[in-house]
Amino acid sequence: MLRGLLIGGLLLAFTSANNADDKSATPKLPAPPTNANLEKLKKLAGTWVAADADGKPTDNVMSIIKVTAGGSAVHETLFPGQPLEMISVYTVEGADLVLTHYCVLGNQPRMKADAKSPANQIVFQFAGGGNLDPKKDKHMHEATLTIVDSDHIEVNGCAWENGAPAKDQCCGFKLVRRK
């Protein structure tokens, strides 16, 4: 961790020193990796609220999505400001879209998008993780994001425990983009 902080500090100092003469200069960054599913996620940037029974937006903020890291990552805050607040970070690894979910359970499951997902969906399957034994520990194991249209999405996920779906932890949400 100290090494990462030192490298980050050096990069910041280097960037600041290079821009000292020209305050309007922006450092030349490499193009972010291209991935069709990451591009779909980038279009979801914004605040998402729970839908009521009629599909109308409520005041219950469920997710805040933003593009970060020079366009190479999507950061999602789930249940922002609530006791169960968590984050998921979506990035490209080789040809794959992967997500790391930083869970309120204290573990970090990683999931990989199925390349054969339907065009309006991204289906994620468990691909390992940190601070968990998938044969016994409860963890998010799979998730499906369905993009209904630019202002409506559905999220279905399932946690596993003891090597099988945890019946009380499989759920879905219908979300509406807050205008």
Side-chain angles (χ1 to χ4, degrees), residues 72-113:
S72 67
V74 172
H75 177 279
E76 178 181 22
T77 303
L78 303 150
F79 315 115
Q82 300 175 39
L84 297 179
E85 182 175 292
M86 299 175 270
I87 64 170
S88 292
V89 178
Y90 304 82
T91 57
V92 174
E93 193 172 284
D96 298 319
L97 176 67
V98 295
L99 82 82
T100 303
H101 175 67
Y102 298 88
C103 189
V104 72
L105 295 173
N107 55 38
Q108 304 82 39
R110 287 177 41 89
M111 291 175 250
K112 183 170 77 167

PDB file of all heavy atoms in Angstrom, residues 72-113:
ATOM      1  N   SER A  72     -11.560   4.675 -17.962  1.00  0.00           N
ATOM      2  CA  SER A  72     -11.215   3.256 -17.945  1.00  0.00           C
ATOM      3  C   SER A  72     -11.968   2.465 -16.877  1.00  0.00           C
ATOM      4  O   SER A  72     -11.817   1.251 -16.796  1.00  0.00           O
ATOM      5  CB  SER A  72      -9.706   3.079 -17.727  1.00  0.00           C
ATOM      6  OG  SER A  72      -9.334   3.507 -16.433  1.00  0.00           O
ATOM      7  N   ALA A  73     -12.786   3.162 -16.058  1.00  0.00           N
ATOM      8  CA  ALA A  73     -13.526   2.461 -15.005  1.00  0.00           C
ATOM      9  C   ALA A  73     -14.869   3.139 -14.775  1.00  0.00           C
ATOM     10  O   ALA A  73     -15.034   4.336 -15.011  1.00  0.00           O
ATOM     11  CB  ALA A  73     -12.720   2.457 -13.702  1.00  0.00           C
ATOM     12  N   VAL A  74     -15.810   2.352 -14.314  1.00  0.00           N
ATOM     13  CA  VAL A  74     -17.114   2.852 -13.888  1.00  0.00           C
ATOM     14  C   VAL A  74     -17.238   2.511 -12.410  1.00  0.00           C
ATOM     15  O   VAL A  74     -17.013   1.362 -12.011  1.00  0.00           O
ATOM     16  CB  VAL A  74     -18.258   2.236 -14.718  1.00  0.00           C
ATOM     17  CG1 VAL A  74     -19.617   2.622 -14.147  1.00  0.00           C
ATOM     18  CG2 VAL A  74     -18.149   2.679 -16.177  1.00  0.00           C
ATOM     19  N   HIS A  75     -17.572   3.515 -11.612  1.00  0.00           N
ATOM     20  CA  HIS A  75     -17.685   3.380 -10.146  1.00  0.00           C
ATOM     21  C   HIS A  75     -19.162   3.500  -9.790  1.00  0.00           C
ATOM     22  O   HIS A  75     -19.817   4.478 -10.150  1.00  0.00           O
ATOM     23  CB  HIS A  75     -16.883   4.496  -9.484  1.00  0.00           C
ATOM     24  CG  HIS A  75     -16.959   4.524  -7.996  1.00  0.00           C
ATOM     25  ND1 HIS A  75     -18.014   5.087  -7.316  1.00  0.00           N
ATOM     26  CD2 HIS A  75     -16.107   4.067  -7.062  1.00  0.00           C
ATOM     27  CE1 HIS A  75     -17.796   4.981  -6.019  1.00  0.00           C
ATOM     28  NE2 HIS A  75     -16.656   4.363  -5.837  1.00  0.00           N
ATOM     29  N   GLU A  76     -19.677   2.512  -9.096  1.00  0.00           N
ATOM     30  CA  GLU A  76     -21.076   2.525  -8.672  1.00  0.00           C
ATOM     31  C   GLU A  76     -21.146   2.493  -7.151  1.00  0.00           C
ATOM     32  O   GLU A  76     -20.553   1.619  -6.523  1.00  0.00           O
ATOM     33  CB  GLU A  76     -21.816   1.325  -9.249  1.00  0.00           C
ATOM     34  CG  GLU A  76     -23.271   1.260  -8.811  1.00  0.00           C
ATOM     35  CD  GLU A  76     -24.012   0.059  -9.371  1.00  0.00           C
ATOM     36  OE1 GLU A  76     -23.363  -0.941  -9.754  1.00  0.00           O
ATOM     37  OE2 GLU A  76     -25.251   0.121  -9.423  1.00  0.00           O
ATOM     38  N   THR A  77     -21.862   3.440  -6.572  1.00  0.00           N
ATOM     39  CA  THR A  77     -22.146   3.411  -5.148  1.00  0.00           C
ATOM     40  C   THR A  77     -23.566   2.906  -4.980  1.00  0.00           C
ATOM     41  O   THR A  77     -24.513   3.501  -5.500  1.00  0.00           O
ATOM     42  CB  THR A  77     -22.004   4.811  -4.513  1.00  0.00           C
ATOM     43  OG1 THR A  77     -20.688   5.298  -4.771  1.00  0.00           O
ATOM     44  CG2 THR A  77     -22.251   4.760  -3.015  1.00  0.00           C
ATOM     45  N   LEU A  78     -23.702   1.791  -4.284  1.00  0.00           N
ATOM     46  CA  LEU A  78     -25.003   1.186  -4.044  1.00  0.00           C
ATOM     47  C   LEU A  78     -25.513   1.614  -2.676  1.00  0.00           C
ATOM     48  O   LEU A  78     -24.755   1.628  -1.703  1.00  0.00           O
ATOM     49  CB  LEU A  78     -24.877  -0.339  -4.087  1.00  0.00           C
ATOM     50  CG  LEU A  78     -24.298  -0.880  -5.396  1.00  0.00           C
ATOM     51  CD1 LEU A  78     -23.553  -2.165  -5.166  1.00  0.00           C
ATOM     52  CD2 LEU A  78     -25.407  -1.056  -6.389  1.00  0.00           C
ATOM     53  N   PHE A  79     -26.768   1.971  -2.586  1.00  0.00           N
ATOM     54  CA  PHE A  79     -27.401   2.412  -1.337  1.00  0.00           C
ATOM     55  C   PHE A  79     -26.610   3.550  -0.676  1.00  0.00           C
ATOM     56  O   PHE A  79     -26.265   3.475   0.503  1.00  0.00           O
ATOM     57  CB  PHE A  79     -27.573   1.237  -0.362  1.00  0.00           C
ATOM     58  CG  PHE A  79     -28.118  -0.011  -1.004  1.00  0.00           C
ATOM     59  CD1 PHE A  79     -27.348  -1.164  -1.067  1.00  0.00           C
ATOM     60  CD2 PHE A  79     -29.386  -0.032  -1.561  1.00  0.00           C
ATOM     61  CE1 PHE A  79     -27.839  -2.327  -1.676  1.00  0.00           C
ATOM     62  CE2 PHE A  79     -29.891  -1.183  -2.149  1.00  0.00           C
ATOM     63  CZ  PHE A  79     -29.115  -2.328  -2.219  1.00  0.00           C
ATOM     64  N   PRO A  80     -26.304   4.617  -1.440  1.00  0.00           N
ATOM     65  CA  PRO A  80     -25.462   5.694  -0.904  1.00  0.00           C
ATOM     66  C   PRO A  80     -26.056   6.327   0.354  1.00  0.00           C
ATOM     67  O   PRO A  80     -27.251   6.578   0.437  1.00  0.00           O
ATOM     68  CB  PRO A  80     -25.394   6.696  -2.052  1.00  0.00           C
ATOM     69  CG  PRO A  80     -26.564   6.395  -2.920  1.00  0.00           C
ATOM     70  CD  PRO A  80     -26.823   4.925  -2.767  1.00  0.00           C
ATOM     71  N   GLY A  81     -25.169   6.540   1.345  1.00  0.00           N
ATOM     72  CA  GLY A  81     -25.570   7.178   2.591  1.00  0.00           C
ATOM     73  C   GLY A  81     -26.381   6.310   3.524  1.00  0.00           C
ATOM     74  O   GLY A  81     -26.841   6.773   4.566  1.00  0.00           O
ATOM     75  N   GLN A  82     -26.563   5.047   3.179  1.00  0.00           N
ATOM     76  CA  GLN A  82     -27.347   4.132   3.999  1.00  0.00           C
ATOM     77  C   GLN A  82     -26.414   3.152   4.726  1.00  0.00           C
ATOM     78  O   GLN A  82     -25.259   2.983   4.318  1.00  0.00           O
ATOM     79  CB  GLN A  82     -28.343   3.364   3.113  1.00  0.00           C
ATOM     80  CG  GLN A  82     -29.325   4.289   2.394  1.00  0.00           C
ATOM     81  CD  GLN A  82     -30.225   3.532   1.446  1.00  0.00           C
ATOM     82  OE1 GLN A  82     -30.666   2.431   1.734  1.00  0.00           O
ATOM     83  NE2 GLN A  82     -30.504   4.131   0.293  1.00  0.00           N
ATOM     84  N   PRO A  83     -26.882   2.499   5.772  1.00  0.00           N
ATOM     85  CA  PRO A  83     -26.019   1.567   6.503  1.00  0.00           C
ATOM     86  C   PRO A  83     -25.447   0.439   5.629  1.00  0.00           C
ATOM     87  O   PRO A  83     -24.380  -0.079   5.926  1.00  0.00           O
ATOM     88  CB  PRO A  83     -26.936   0.997   7.590  1.00  0.00           C
ATOM     89  CG  PRO A  83     -27.978   2.043   7.792  1.00  0.00           C
ATOM     90  CD  PRO A  83     -28.184   2.675   6.431  1.00  0.00           C
ATOM     91  N   LEU A  84     -26.127   0.068   4.562  1.00  0.00           N
ATOM     92  CA  LEU A  84     -25.651  -1.009   3.684  1.00  0.00           C
ATOM     93  C   LEU A  84     -24.893  -0.491   2.463  1.00  0.00           C
ATOM     94  O   LEU A  84     -24.774  -1.205   1.465  1.00  0.00           O
ATOM     95  CB  LEU A  84     -26.819  -1.888   3.238  1.00  0.00           C
ATOM     96  CG  LEU A  84     -27.549  -2.647   4.345  1.00  0.00           C
ATOM     97  CD1 LEU A  84     -28.702  -3.453   3.770  1.00  0.00           C
ATOM     98  CD2 LEU A  84     -26.596  -3.540   5.118  1.00  0.00           C
ATOM     99  N   GLU A  85     -24.378   0.744   2.527  1.00  0.00           N
ATOM    100  CA  GLU A  85     -23.654   1.303   1.381  1.00  0.00           C
ATOM    101  C   GLU A  85     -22.498   0.391   0.970  1.00  0.00           C
ATOM    102  O   GLU A  85     -21.759  -0.121   1.806  1.00  0.00           O
ATOM    103  CB  GLU A  85     -23.114   2.688   1.722  1.00  0.00           C
ATOM    104  CG  GLU A  85     -22.404   3.330   0.539  1.00  0.00           C
ATOM    105  CD  GLU A  85     -21.967   4.755   0.826  1.00  0.00           C
ATOM    106  OE1 GLU A  85     -22.840   5.618   0.963  1.00  0.00           O
ATOM    107  OE2 GLU A  85     -20.752   4.978   0.918  1.00  0.00           O
ATOM    108  N   MET A  86     -22.371   0.192  -0.345  1.00  0.00           N
ATOM    109  CA  MET A  86     -21.316  -0.647  -0.927  1.00  0.00           C
ATOM    110  C   MET A  86     -20.896  -0.009  -2.240  1.00  0.00           C
ATOM    111  O   MET A  86     -21.583   0.880  -2.748  1.00  0.00           O
ATOM    112  CB  MET A  86     -21.838  -2.064  -1.204  1.00  0.00           C
ATOM    113  CG  MET A  86     -22.313  -2.803   0.020  1.00  0.00           C
ATOM    114  SD  MET A  86     -23.046  -4.411  -0.362  1.00  0.00           S
ATOM    115  CE  MET A  86     -24.766  -3.959  -0.588  1.00  0.00           C
ATOM    116  N   ILE A  87     -19.785  -0.474  -2.800  1.00  0.00           N
ATOM    117  CA  ILE A  87     -19.396  -0.009  -4.124  1.00  0.00           C
ATOM    118  C   ILE A  87     -19.046  -1.185  -5.024  1.00  0.00           C
ATOM    119  O   ILE A  87     -18.654  -2.260  -4.546  1.00  0.00           O
ATOM    120  CB  ILE A  87     -18.229   1.004  -4.102  1.00  0.00           C
ATOM    121  CG1 ILE A  87     -16.947   0.377  -3.576  1.00  0.00           C
ATOM    122  CG2 ILE A  87     -18.585   2.236  -3.313  1.00  0.00           C
ATOM    123  CD1 ILE A  87     -15.736   1.262  -3.768  1.00  0.00           C
ATOM    124  N   SER A  88     -19.210  -0.968  -6.299  1.00  0.00           N
ATOM    125  CA  SER A  88     -18.744  -1.899  -7.318  1.00  0.00           C
ATOM    126  C   SER A  88     -17.947  -1.081  -8.319  1.00  0.00           C
ATOM    127  O   SER A  88     -18.336   0.043  -8.674  1.00  0.00           O
ATOM    128  CB  SER A  88     -19.914  -2.591  -8.030  1.00  0.00           C
ATOM    129  OG  SER A  88     -20.592  -3.460  -7.144  1.00  0.00           O
ATOM    130  N   VAL A  89     -16.834  -1.641  -8.773  1.00  0.00           N
ATOM    131  CA  VAL A  89     -15.991  -0.982  -9.764  1.00  0.00           C
ATOM    132  C   VAL A  89     -15.896  -1.909 -10.964  1.00  0.00           C
ATOM    133  O   VAL A  89     -15.564  -3.093 -10.828  1.00  0.00           O
ATOM    134  CB  VAL A  89     -14.588  -0.665  -9.197  1.00  0.00           C
ATOM    135  CG1 VAL A  89     -13.722  -0.020 -10.272  1.00  0.00           C
ATOM    136  CG2 VAL A  89     -14.696   0.241  -7.972  1.00  0.00           C
ATOM    137  N   TYR A  90     -16.206  -1.355 -12.128  1.00  0.00           N
ATOM    138  CA  TYR A  90     -16.212  -2.100 -13.387  1.00  0.00           C
ATOM    139  C   TYR A  90     -15.013  -1.649 -14.212  1.00  0.00           C
ATOM    140  O   TYR A  90     -14.821  -0.447 -14.432  1.00  0.00           O
ATOM    141  CB  TYR A  90     -17.492  -1.813 -14.172  1.00  0.00           C
ATOM    142  CG  TYR A  90     -18.766  -2.095 -13.408  1.00  0.00           C
ATOM    143  CD1 TYR A  90     -19.285  -1.174 -12.500  1.00  0.00           C
ATOM    144  CD2 TYR A  90     -19.452  -3.290 -13.600  1.00  0.00           C
ATOM    145  CE1 TYR A  90     -20.459  -1.431 -11.805  1.00  0.00           C
ATOM    146  CE2 TYR A  90     -20.628  -3.554 -12.904  1.00  0.00           C
ATOM    147  CZ  TYR A  90     -21.122  -2.618 -12.008  1.00  0.00           C
ATOM    148  OH  TYR A  90     -22.284  -2.876 -11.314  1.00  0.00           O
ATOM    149  N   THR A  91     -14.209  -2.611 -14.674  1.00  0.00           N
ATOM    150  CA  THR A  91     -13.034  -2.312 -15.479  1.00  0.00           C
ATOM    151  C   THR A  91     -12.887  -3.363 -16.571  1.00  0.00           C
ATOM    152  O   THR A  91     -13.565  -4.391 -16.555  1.00  0.00           O
ATOM    153  CB  THR A  91     -11.750  -2.301 -14.618  1.00  0.00           C
ATOM    154  OG1 THR A  91     -11.627  -3.566 -13.972  1.00  0.00           O
ATOM    155  CG2 THR A  91     -11.776  -1.196 -13.577  1.00  0.00           C
ATOM    156  N   VAL A  92     -11.964  -3.094 -17.487  1.00  0.00           N
ATOM    157  CA  VAL A  92     -11.672  -4.048 -18.555  1.00  0.00           C
ATOM    158  C   VAL A  92     -10.368  -4.756 -18.216  1.00  0.00           C
ATOM    159  O   VAL A  92      -9.385  -4.123 -17.826  1.00  0.00           O
ATOM    160  CB  VAL A  92     -11.563  -3.323 -19.917  1.00  0.00           C
ATOM    161  CG1 VAL A  92     -11.115  -4.279 -21.011  1.00  0.00           C
ATOM    162  CG2 VAL A  92     -12.892  -2.683 -20.283  1.00  0.00           C
ATOM    163  N   GLU A  93     -10.396  -6.058 -18.340  1.00  0.00           N
ATOM    164  CA  GLU A  93      -9.207  -6.882 -18.124  1.00  0.00           C
ATOM    165  C   GLU A  93      -9.051  -7.755 -19.360  1.00  0.00           C
ATOM    166  O   GLU A  93      -9.836  -8.680 -19.561  1.00  0.00           O
ATOM    167  CB  GLU A  93      -9.415  -7.727 -16.870  1.00  0.00           C
ATOM    168  CG  GLU A  93      -8.169  -8.396 -16.355  1.00  0.00           C
ATOM    169  CD  GLU A  93      -8.418  -9.040 -15.013  1.00  0.00           C
ATOM    170  OE1 GLU A  93      -8.492  -8.303 -14.006  1.00  0.00           O
ATOM    171  OE2 GLU A  93      -8.551 -10.281 -14.981  1.00  0.00           O
ATOM    172  N   GLY A  94      -8.062  -7.434 -20.190  1.00  0.00           N
ATOM    173  CA  GLY A  94      -7.934  -8.124 -21.475  1.00  0.00           C
ATOM    174  C   GLY A  94      -9.156  -7.796 -22.311  1.00  0.00           C
ATOM    175  O   GLY A  94      -9.495  -6.629 -22.497  1.00  0.00           O
ATOM    176  N   ALA A  95      -9.864  -8.804 -22.776  1.00  0.00           N
ATOM    177  CA  ALA A  95     -11.086  -8.591 -23.559  1.00  0.00           C
ATOM    178  C   ALA A  95     -12.340  -8.592 -22.691  1.00  0.00           C
ATOM    179  O   ALA A  95     -13.438  -8.381 -23.192  1.00  0.00           O
ATOM    180  CB  ALA A  95     -11.203  -9.681 -24.625  1.00  0.00           C
ATOM    181  N   ASP A  96     -12.177  -8.821 -21.383  1.00  0.00           N
ATOM    182  CA  ASP A  96     -13.324  -9.020 -20.501  1.00  0.00           C
ATOM    183  C   ASP A  96     -13.685  -7.786 -19.680  1.00  0.00           C
ATOM    184  O   ASP A  96     -12.807  -7.055 -19.227  1.00  0.00           O
ATOM    185  CB  ASP A  96     -13.031 -10.153 -19.516  1.00  0.00           C
ATOM    186  CG  ASP A  96     -12.801 -11.480 -20.197  1.00  0.00           C
ATOM    187  OD1 ASP A  96     -13.524 -11.791 -21.162  1.00  0.00           O
ATOM    188  OD2 ASP A  96     -11.886 -12.216 -19.764  1.00  0.00           O
ATOM    189  N   LEU A  97     -14.977  -7.617 -19.459  1.00  0.00           N
ATOM    190  CA  LEU A  97     -15.453  -6.644 -18.482  1.00  0.00           C
ATOM    191  C   LEU A  97     -15.539  -7.380 -17.153  1.00  0.00           C
ATOM    192  O   LEU A  97     -16.134  -8.453 -17.071  1.00  0.00           O
ATOM    193  CB  LEU A  97     -16.835  -6.112 -18.868  1.00  0.00           C
ATOM    194  CG  LEU A  97     -17.463  -5.155 -17.844  1.00  0.00           C
ATOM    195  CD1 LEU A  97     -16.672  -3.852 -17.769  1.00  0.00           C
ATOM    196  CD2 LEU A  97     -18.915  -4.877 -18.207  1.00  0.00           C
ATOM    197  N   VAL A  98     -14.906  -6.815 -16.131  1.00  0.00           N
ATOM    198  CA  VAL A  98     -14.944  -7.432 -14.809  1.00  0.00           C
ATOM    199  C   VAL A  98     -15.469  -6.415 -13.807  1.00  0.00           C
ATOM    200  O   VAL A  98     -15.368  -5.205 -14.010  1.00  0.00           O
ATOM    201  CB  VAL A  98     -13.558  -7.956 -14.364  1.00  0.00           C
ATOM    202  CG1 VAL A  98     -13.078  -9.080 -15.263  1.00  0.00           C
ATOM    203  CG2 VAL A  98     -12.533  -6.844 -14.320  1.00  0.00           C
ATOM    204  N   LEU A  99     -16.037  -6.934 -12.739  1.00  0.00           N
ATOM    205  CA  LEU A  99     -16.457  -6.048 -11.656  1.00  0.00           C
ATOM    206  C   LEU A  99     -15.904  -6.603 -10.362  1.00  0.00           C
ATOM    207  O   LEU A  99     -15.803  -7.817 -10.180  1.00  0.00           O
ATOM    208  CB  LEU A  99     -17.979  -5.883 -11.599  1.00  0.00           C
ATOM    209  CG  LEU A  99     -18.870  -6.899 -10.929  1.00  0.00           C
ATOM    210  CD1 LEU A  99     -18.935  -6.693  -9.425  1.00  0.00           C
ATOM    211  CD2 LEU A  99     -20.272  -6.794 -11.479  1.00  0.00           C
ATOM    212  N   THR A 100     -15.517  -5.696  -9.506  1.00  0.00           N
ATOM    213  CA  THR A 100     -15.142  -6.051  -8.147  1.00  0.00           C
ATOM    214  C   THR A 100     -16.153  -5.365  -7.249  1.00  0.00           C
ATOM    215  O   THR A 100     -16.359  -4.150  -7.353  1.00  0.00           O
ATOM    216  CB  THR A 100     -13.715  -5.587  -7.805  1.00  0.00           C
ATOM    217  OG1 THR A 100     -12.809  -6.157  -8.749  1.00  0.00           O
ATOM    218  CG2 THR A 100     -13.333  -6.024  -6.389  1.00  0.00           C
ATOM    219  N   HIS A 101     -16.805  -6.148  -6.413  1.00  0.00           N
ATOM    220  CA  HIS A 101     -17.857  -5.652  -5.536  1.00  0.00           C
ATOM    221  C   HIS A 101     -17.308  -5.578  -4.112  1.00  0.00           C
ATOM    222  O   HIS A 101     -16.909  -6.603  -3.549  1.00  0.00           O
ATOM    223  CB  HIS A 101     -19.063  -6.593  -5.598  1.00  0.00           C
ATOM    224  CG  HIS A 101     -20.161  -6.243  -4.655  1.00  0.00           C
ATOM    225  ND1 HIS A 101     -20.896  -5.094  -4.784  1.00  0.00           N
ATOM    226  CD2 HIS A 101     -20.633  -6.889  -3.569  1.00  0.00           C
ATOM    227  CE1 HIS A 101     -21.795  -5.052  -3.805  1.00  0.00           C
ATOM    228  NE2 HIS A 101     -21.649  -6.124  -3.048  1.00  0.00           N
ATOM    229  N   TYR A 102     -17.248  -4.372  -3.571  1.00  0.00           N
ATOM    230  CA  TYR A 102     -16.762  -4.162  -2.211  1.00  0.00           C
ATOM    231  C   TYR A 102     -17.986  -4.189  -1.305  1.00  0.00           C
ATOM    232  O   TYR A 102     -18.718  -3.216  -1.188  1.00  0.00           O
ATOM    233  CB  TYR A 102     -15.979  -2.852  -2.125  1.00  0.00           C
ATOM    234  CG  TYR A 102     -14.756  -2.912  -3.018  1.00  0.00           C
ATOM    235  CD1 TYR A 102     -14.823  -2.546  -4.362  1.00  0.00           C
ATOM    236  CD2 TYR A 102     -13.551  -3.387  -2.520  1.00  0.00           C
ATOM    237  CE1 TYR A 102     -13.714  -2.632  -5.190  1.00  0.00           C
ATOM    238  CE2 TYR A 102     -12.430  -3.478  -3.342  1.00  0.00           C
ATOM    239  CZ  TYR A 102     -12.523  -3.105  -4.671  1.00  0.00           C
ATOM    240  OH  TYR A 102     -11.418  -3.193  -5.485  1.00  0.00           O
ATOM    241  N   CYS A 103     -18.196  -5.350  -0.696  1.00  0.00           N
ATOM    242  CA  CYS A 103     -19.454  -5.690  -0.033  1.00  0.00           C
ATOM    243  C   CYS A 103     -19.471  -5.320   1.445  1.00  0.00           C
ATOM    244  O   CYS A 103     -18.440  -5.338   2.120  1.00  0.00           O
ATOM    245  CB  CYS A 103     -19.690  -7.188  -0.186  1.00  0.00           C
ATOM    246  SG  CYS A 103     -21.317  -7.727   0.351  1.00  0.00           S
ATOM    247  N   VAL A 104     -20.662  -5.033   1.932  1.00  0.00           N
ATOM    248  CA  VAL A 104     -20.875  -4.774   3.351  1.00  0.00           C
ATOM    249  C   VAL A 104     -20.530  -6.017   4.188  1.00  0.00           C
ATOM    250  O   VAL A 104     -20.266  -5.906   5.382  1.00  0.00           O
ATOM    251  CB  VAL A 104     -22.319  -4.285   3.599  1.00  0.00           C
ATOM    252  CG1 VAL A 104     -23.323  -5.410   3.438  1.00  0.00           C
ATOM    253  CG2 VAL A 104     -22.458  -3.622   4.945  1.00  0.00           C
ATOM    254  N   LEU A 105     -20.453  -7.172   3.564  1.00  0.00           N
ATOM    255  CA  LEU A 105     -20.067  -8.396   4.262  1.00  0.00           C
ATOM    256  C   LEU A 105     -18.558  -8.448   4.525  1.00  0.00           C
ATOM    257  O   LEU A 105     -18.072  -9.377   5.172  1.00  0.00           O
ATOM    258  CB  LEU A 105     -20.482  -9.638   3.459  1.00  0.00           C
ATOM    259  CG  LEU A 105     -21.990  -9.838   3.283  1.00  0.00           C
ATOM    260  CD1 LEU A 105     -22.257 -11.009   2.332  1.00  0.00           C
ATOM    261  CD2 LEU A 105     -22.658 -10.071   4.623  1.00  0.00           C
ATOM    262  N   GLY A 106     -17.817  -7.480   3.984  1.00  0.00           N
ATOM    263  CA  GLY A 106     -16.382  -7.424   4.215  1.00  0.00           C
ATOM    264  C   GLY A 106     -15.569  -8.238   3.230  1.00  0.00           C
ATOM    265  O   GLY A 106     -14.378  -8.445   3.426  1.00  0.00           O
ATOM    266  N   ASN A 107     -16.185  -8.686   2.149  1.00  0.00           N
ATOM    267  CA  ASN A 107     -15.436  -9.414   1.134  1.00  0.00           C
ATOM    268  C   ASN A 107     -15.508  -8.676  -0.198  1.00  0.00           C
ATOM    269  O   ASN A 107     -16.208  -7.672  -0.321  1.00  0.00           O
ATOM    270  CB  ASN A 107     -15.932 -10.868   1.024  1.00  0.00           C
ATOM    271  CG  ASN A 107     -17.418 -10.971   0.763  1.00  0.00           C
ATOM    272  OD1 ASN A 107     -17.992 -10.183   0.021  1.00  0.00           O
ATOM    273  ND2 ASN A 107     -18.065 -11.957   1.381  1.00  0.00           N
ATOM    274  N   GLN A 108     -14.749  -9.162  -1.178  1.00  0.00           N
ATOM    275  CA  GLN A 108     -14.650  -8.486  -2.462  1.00  0.00           C
ATOM    276  C   GLN A 108     -14.775  -9.493  -3.610  1.00  0.00           C
ATOM    277  O   GLN A 108     -13.773  -9.846  -4.248  1.00  0.00           O
ATOM    278  CB  GLN A 108     -13.315  -7.732  -2.595  1.00  0.00           C
ATOM    279  CG  GLN A 108     -13.035  -6.736  -1.496  1.00  0.00           C
ATOM    280  CD  GLN A 108     -12.467  -7.388  -0.237  1.00  0.00           C
ATOM    281  OE1 GLN A 108     -11.664  -8.305  -0.302  1.00  0.00           O
ATOM    282  NE2 GLN A 108     -12.904  -6.922   0.916  1.00  0.00           N
ATOM    283  N   PRO A 109     -15.998  -9.978  -3.864  1.00  0.00           N
ATOM    284  CA  PRO A 109     -16.154 -10.899  -4.990  1.00  0.00           C
ATOM    285  C   PRO A 109     -15.869 -10.193  -6.312  1.00  0.00           C
ATOM    286  O   PRO A 109     -16.147  -9.008  -6.478  1.00  0.00           O
ATOM    287  CB  PRO A 109     -17.612 -11.341  -4.903  1.00  0.00           C
ATOM    288  CG  PRO A 109     -18.284 -10.369  -4.007  1.00  0.00           C
ATOM    289  CD  PRO A 109     -17.247  -9.740  -3.158  1.00  0.00           C
ATOM    290  N   ARG A 110     -15.271 -10.962  -7.216  1.00  0.00           N
ATOM    291  CA  ARG A 110     -15.025 -10.486  -8.586  1.00  0.00           C
ATOM    292  C   ARG A 110     -15.923 -11.299  -9.509  1.00  0.00           C
ATOM    293  O   ARG A 110     -16.083 -12.499  -9.332  1.00  0.00           O
ATOM    294  CB  ARG A 110     -13.563 -10.689  -8.984  1.00  0.00           C
ATOM    295  CG  ARG A 110     -12.619  -9.721  -8.316  1.00  0.00           C
ATOM    296  CD  ARG A 110     -11.153  -9.976  -8.654  1.00  0.00           C
ATOM    297  NE  ARG A 110     -10.858 -10.320 -10.017  1.00  0.00           N
ATOM    298  CZ  ARG A 110     -10.597  -9.449 -10.994  1.00  0.00           C
ATOM    299  NH1 ARG A 110     -10.626  -8.159 -10.741  1.00  0.00           N
ATOM    300  NH2 ARG A 110     -10.309  -9.854 -12.209  1.00  0.00           N
ATOM    301  N   MET A 111     -16.479 -10.610 -10.481  1.00  0.00           N
ATOM    302  CA  MET A 111     -17.330 -11.284 -11.453  1.00  0.00           C
ATOM    303  C   MET A 111     -16.915 -10.844 -12.847  1.00  0.00           C
ATOM    304  O   MET A 111     -16.441  -9.722 -13.041  1.00  0.00           O
ATOM    305  CB  MET A 111     -18.797 -10.946 -11.202  1.00  0.00           C
ATOM    306  CG  MET A 111     -19.334 -11.555  -9.923  1.00  0.00           C
ATOM    307  SD  MET A 111     -21.013 -11.022  -9.558  1.00  0.00           S
ATOM    308  CE  MET A 111     -20.694  -9.993  -8.133  1.00  0.00           C
ATOM    309  N   LYS A 112     -17.096 -11.721 -13.788  1.00  0.00           N
ATOM    310  CA  LYS A 112     -16.749 -11.443 -15.179  1.00  0.00           C
ATOM    311  C   LYS A 112     -18.015 -11.487 -16.012  1.00  0.00           C
ATOM    312  O   LYS A 112     -18.872 -12.355 -15.830  1.00  0.00           O
ATOM    313  CB  LYS A 112     -15.741 -12.482 -15.671  1.00  0.00           C
ATOM    314  CG  LYS A 112     -15.251 -12.242 -17.082  1.00  0.00           C
ATOM    315  CD  LYS A 112     -14.096 -13.144 -17.448  1.00  0.00           C
ATOM    316  CE  LYS A 112     -14.544 -14.527 -17.747  1.00  0.00           C
ATOM    317  NZ  LYS A 112     -13.529 -15.361 -18.396  1.00  0.00           N
ATOM    318  N   ALA A 113     -18.133 -10.531 -16.938  1.00  0.00           N
ATOM    319  CA  ALA A 113     -19.304 -10.489 -17.822  1.00  0.00           C
ATOM    320  C   ALA A 113     -19.230 -11.628 -18.828  1.00  0.00           C
ATOM    321  O   ALA A 113     -18.174 -11.900 -19.409  1.00  0.00           O
ATOM    322  CB  ALA A 113     -19.367  -9.150 -18.548  1.00  0.00           C
TER     323      ALA A 113
END
